[in-house]
Amino acid sequence: MRKVLPFLLVVLCASPAVGGFSVFQTYTGDVGVSTDGCGSVATSNCTIQAQAPAGSSVIAAYLYSAYSNNLGVNDTGSLNGSPIPYSTNVSDTTGCCQLGSRRADVTSIVKPLVDNAGGAVITFNVHEDNTFFTDGEALVVVYSDPSRGASTVSILDGFSSRGGDSVNLSFATPLDPMAPGFMAQLLLGDSFSCCRSDNPPNQFSDISVDGSLMSGVAGNNDDCQDASPNFIGCLITVGSTISDPFTPVNPTYQADHERYSLVSEIHQGDNAINLALNNPSADDNLFLAVVNVSAGAVSPE
């Protein structure tokens, strides 16, 4: 029986306001993804990680830098000592604080190290030239793994509207959550979010899947690597495939790691997933969303 990889069609629709998220890249095939984040204001340096299985090959690697007060637009920095080639900038015009993010293609820096790591975690050093207005970074690495089943990785970036966004992920063939190895996950990047408290959380977002609330407290700055982290210039959290567990449904602020399993919300035969993002505190910058649906999303033909 030949297996067919479902093509992922991402449709962005507004609920109730049009947001700034757009589909940057979608990869299909024997693909997987590695994500991680870091931030620092005390030293201008932080470490960020990537990992791919032994025998895999990096297809693409992107580094995001999130900032506040619009002073980071033309900022520069380095990754493992190499200048970061930021080429894309998106500013959030719907809320406070002139928030935004930049994206750089860092495949040439990341690929040689990850491809030759034999499956080990690789740590990269990030330097922020304008660290006070740069909250931190997110690294997204897409790789091809011949031992992996069919999979889809979609990268969305920009910003989430203060009025909320609805993201529809449509598949050409029905999903089968009972298939061996099925996995569906969402990983978010959120900046200018603070602080590490449950009583109550200061800044937070709601994440819903097919109408079910996954988290009402997404946010925080738990990827800041400073000892005293509650400062502008170190307010970032990124769902990590390396160091973060899946966030439990309806978590506390501390237990939300911005990495969500979507499996429980998918039913046999579904051909679409709806993600709803909302920022009631109106002062977070949801700048990145990565969706990965794995081998179980194939159907025999």
Side-chain angles (χ1 to χ4, degrees), residues 221-272:
N221 60 335
D222 46 11
D223 282 311
C224 174
Q225 295 178 359
D226 292 352
S228 300
N230 296 339
F231 297 103
I232 293 175
C234 204
L235 305 179
I236 192 165
T237 181
V238 179
S240 173
T241 58
I242 299 169
S243 59
D244 285 335
F246 284 113
T247 296
V249 175
N250 195 24
T252 64
Y253 196 49
Q254 295 283 34
D256 194 315
H257 303 291
E258 289 64 52
R259 184 187 187 192
Y260 310 95
S261 172
L262 309 182
V263 176
S264 63
E265 302 305 319
I266 296 174
H267 303 92
Q268 183 75 35
D270 281 356
N271 60 8

Side-chain angles (χ1 to χ4, degrees), residues 47-61:
T47 57
I48 202 164
Q49 296 182 318
Q51 184 179 29
S56 62
S57 176
V58 169
I59 300 171

Side-chain angles (χ1 to χ4, degrees), residues 54-293:
S56 62
S57 176
V58 169
I59 300 171
Y62 303 101
L63 187 71
Y64 290 82
S65 177
Y67 61 81
S68 64
N69 294 294
N70 221 23
L71 297 180
V73 172
N74 298 313
D75 195 13
T76 56
S78 62
L79 183 67
N80 272 12
S82 297
I84 301 172
Y86 290 116
S87 60
T88 303
N89 175 71
V90 178
S91 296
D92 181 352
T93 59
T94 69
C96 82
C97 316
Q98 297 178 300
L99 306 177
S101 63
R102 299 161 294 155
R103 182 182 68 236
D105 187 328
V106 293
T107 307
S108 63
I109 302 173
V110 171
K111 180 177 174 61
L113 294 176
V114 175
D115 282 359
N116 293 316
V121 174
I122 296 296
T123 299
F124 296 88
N125 296 311
V126 179
H127 175 75
E128 303 170 347
D129 288 346
N130 193 346
T131 188
F132 185 76
F133 295 103
T134 303
D135 275 321
E137 287 72 32
L139 179 62
V140 181
V141 180
V142 182
Y143 55 83
S144 173
D145 177 11
S147 66
R148 188 182 182 91
S151 181
T152 299
V153 173
S154 188
I155 305 172
L156 293 78
D157 57 22
F159 65 90
S160 182
S161 166
R162 295 295 176 266
D165 295 292
S166 181
V167 182
N168 290 318
L169 312 175
S170 299
F171 296 84
T173 56
L175 302 179
D176 181 8
M178 301 303 294
F182 180 85
M183 184 272 291
Q185 63 177 329
L186 166 68
L187 303 125
L188 292 180
D190 187 14
S191 69
F192 208 67
S193 186
C194 178
C195 295
R196 303 184 182 195
S197 172
D198 283 309
N199 300 308
N202 298 57
Q203 296 171 239
F204 58 95
S205 295
D206 298 332
I207 310 298
S208 296
V209 177
D210 289 342
S212 298
L213 183 67
M214 302 290 289
S215 173
V217 290
N220 212 331
N221 60 335
D222 46 11
D223 282 311
C224 174
Q225 295 178 359
D226 292 352
S228 300
N230 296 339
F231 297 103
I232 293 175
C234 204
L235 305 179
I236 192 165
T237 181
V238 179
S240 173
T241 58
I242 299 169
S243 59
D244 285 335
F246 284 113
T247 296
V249 175
N250 195 24
T252 64
Y253 196 49
Q254 295 283 34
D256 194 315
H257 303 291
E258 289 64 52
R259 184 187 187 192
Y260 310 95
S261 172
L262 309 182
V263 176
S264 63
E265 302 305 319
I266 296 174
H267 303 92
Q268 183 75 35
D270 281 356
N271 60 8
I273 303 171
N274 176 265
L275 308 176
L277 313 173
N278 186 37
N279 177 225
S281 61
D283 48 9
D284 273 18
N285 181 28
L286 284 167
F287 64 93
L288 174 67
V290 179
V291 178
N292 179 206
V293 180

